[in-house]
């Protein structure tokens, strides 16, 4: 599915392009996918010159769940002193958080193909091997403990979404009380490898320059907007491209 896209990038940018065919869930349980991408990136950074590549000019890129993996790999490398620093990261409509599934973009685009709101969560829960029976509770926010809610509200909040993105049918949603049982079951979704938007400030502040693409008709639009704000708040240079008529899968 991606060979033509990768060849296009290679041709248009005059770059060496390496495509990582990471193992897929559920046959290969999470976080095998992240580990494959991290291993491949580290190997390439160490051997870049063998491929005629300047190791200080390596960029990592991914779309959708690949964007999640790209963000997670970039975060995992910030404290590695034994490797060249990444030159940049390219995040194309990435999934970045599982705290609030009622952000404006989730409400506005819940029925927009190909990534329907419910499908997003079904794929996410299958990925971390959780029972799909908790979907309704997660949509209501019952999986977020009070402590977590307080910690994450400065990063994941409709208040951080610019007003122009709230004009198309958005209503603030009532917060449901957390369920101790659901909070325990859903622990994995707060790991920054799964939800890179939840990484600590000390990690975010060291990330490389970023290109971020969002689409108006995409449930994940606001994940991108929130990450953009976090990066810029820490002085990271972000080039943002928003496709007014774009939808998830546009690439």
């Amino acid at each position: 599915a991606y060979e033509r896209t990768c060849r296009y990038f290679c041709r248009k940018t005059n770059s060496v392009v390496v495509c990582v065919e990471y193992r897929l869930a559920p046959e290969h349980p999470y976080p095998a996918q992240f580990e494959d991408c991290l291993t491949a990136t580290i190997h390439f950074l160490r051997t870049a010159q063998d491929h005629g590549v300047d190791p200080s000019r390596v960029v990592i890129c991914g779309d959708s769940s690949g964007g999640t993996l790209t963000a997670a790999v970039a975060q995992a490398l910030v404290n590695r002193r034994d490797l060249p620093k990444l030159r940049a990261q390219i995040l194309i409509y990435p999934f970045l958080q599982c705290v609030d599934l009622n952000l404006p973009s989730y409400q506005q685009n819940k029925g927009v193909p190909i990534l329907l709101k419910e499908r997003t969560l079904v794929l996410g829960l299958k990925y971390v091997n959780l029972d799909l029976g908790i979907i309704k509770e997660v949509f209501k926010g019952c999986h977020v403990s009070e402590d977590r809610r307080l910690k994450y509200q400065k990063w994941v909040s409709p208040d951080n979404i610019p007003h122009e993105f709230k004009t198309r049918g958005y209503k603030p949603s009532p917060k449901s009380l957390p369920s101790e049982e659901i909070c325990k079951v859903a622990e994995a979704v707060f790991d920054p490898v799964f939800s890179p938007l939840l990484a600590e400030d000390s990690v975010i502040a060291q990330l490389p320059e970023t290109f971020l693409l969002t689409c108006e008709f995409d449930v994940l639009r606001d994940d991108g907007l929130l990450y953009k704000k976090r990066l810029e708040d820490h002085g990271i240079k972000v080039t943002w491209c928003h496709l007014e008529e774009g939808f998830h899968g546009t690439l």
Side-chain angles (χ1 to χ4, degrees), residues 164-194:
E164 62 266 28
F165 293 102
K166 298 178 189 171
T167 56
R168 188 167 54 87
Y170 164 67
K171 288 181 184 166
S173 53
K175 293 285 179 239
S176 298
L177 289 172
S179 153
E180 201 173 322
E181 183 190 349
I182 302 293
C183 289
K184 203 169 182 180
V185 169
E187 190 84 24
V189 304
F190 302 107
D191 182 344
V193 168
F194 183 81

Side-chain angles (χ1 to χ4, degrees), residues 95 97-125 132 135-141 143 169-174 217-221 223 248:
F95 171 91
Q97 61 84 31
C98 196
V99 174
D100 189 343
L101 298 166
N102 286 298
L103 291 168
S105 62
Y106 269 103
Q107 290 188 25
Q108 295 160 345
N109 302 311
K110 62 185 177 187
V112 177
I114 56 175
L115 196 61
L116 310 177
K117 176 174 172 174
E118 190 158 326
R119 177 181 284 177
T120 308
L121 192 52
V122 166
L123 292 173
L125 294 179
L132 299 183
I135 281 183
K136 281 185 180 169
E137 283 80 5
V138 174
F139 277 142
K140 287 191 271 186
H143 64 305
Y170 164 67
K171 288 181 184 166
S173 53
F217 299 100
D218 180 7
V219 290
L220 302 183
R221 179 197 70 201
D223 283 23
H248 197 87

Side-chain angles (χ1 to χ4, degrees), residues 39-247:
T39 301
T41 306
I42 290 170
H43 175 72
F44 189 76
L45 285 167
R46 284 182 173 147
T47 61
Q49 286 170 319
D50 298 349
H51 304 278
V53 171
D54 177 347
S56 70
R57 296 183 67 189
V58 175
V59 177
I60 57 174
C61 169
D63 76 311
S64 194
S65 56
T68 314
L69 291 165
T70 299
V73 167
Q75 291 180 4
L77 294 174
V78 296
N79 291 315
R80 292 290 295 258
R81 302 286 171 252
D82 57 325
L83 296 167
K85 289 280 185 200
L86 290 173
R87 172 65 186 84
Q89 60 176 346
I90 296 173
L91 309 178
I92 300 170
Y93 40 74
F95 171 91
L96 297 170
Q97 61 84 31
C98 196
V99 174
D100 189 343
L101 298 166
N102 286 298
L103 291 168
S105 62
Y106 269 103
Q107 290 188 25
Q108 295 160 345
N109 302 311
K110 62 185 177 187
V112 177
I114 56 175
L115 196 61
L116 310 177
K117 176 174 172 174
E118 190 158 326
R119 177 181 284 177
T120 308
L121 192 52
V122 166
L123 292 173
L125 294 179
K126 280 186 174 179
Y127 179 44
V128 285
N129 205 23
L130 292 180
D131 184 352
L132 299 183
I134 67 170
I135 281 183
K136 281 185 180 169
E137 283 80 5
V138 174
F139 277 142
K140 287 191 271 186
C142 300
H143 64 305
V144 188
S145 68
E146 205 50 53
D147 288 353
R148 283 207 160 104
R149 196 165 282 172
L150 286 170
K151 178 177 180 178
Y152 298 147
Q153 67 185 4
K154 62 183 182 293
W155 303 332
V156 185
S157 166
D159 296 343
N160 293 343
I161 304 293
H163 174 71
E164 62 266 28
F165 293 102
K166 298 178 189 171
T167 56
R168 188 167 54 87
Y170 164 67
K171 288 181 184 166
S173 53
K175 293 285 179 239
S176 298
L177 289 172
S179 153
E180 201 173 322
E181 183 190 349
I182 302 293
C183 289
K184 203 169 182 180
V185 169
E187 190 84 24
V189 304
F190 302 107
D191 182 344
V193 168
F194 183 81
S195 292
L197 186 56
L198 307 183
E200 296 298 331
D201 286 338
S202 57
V203 172
I204 299 289
Q206 297 182 73
L207 287 169
E209 184 176 344
T210 301
F211 176 92
L212 186 56
L213 183 135
T214 54
C215 293
E216 180 59 32
F217 299 100
D218 180 7
V219 290
L220 302 183
R221 179 197 70 201
D222 293 350
D223 283 23
L225 296 178
L226 293 173
Y227 206 49
K228 172 180 180 285
K229 182 180 189 309
R230 276 206 79 191
L231 291 165
E232 290 176 337
D233 285 350
H234 286 278
I236 309 298
K237 185 182 175 190
V238 178
T239 301
W240 174 49
C241 174
H242 182 66
L243 302 182
E244 292 284 357
E245 295 180 3
F247 55 89

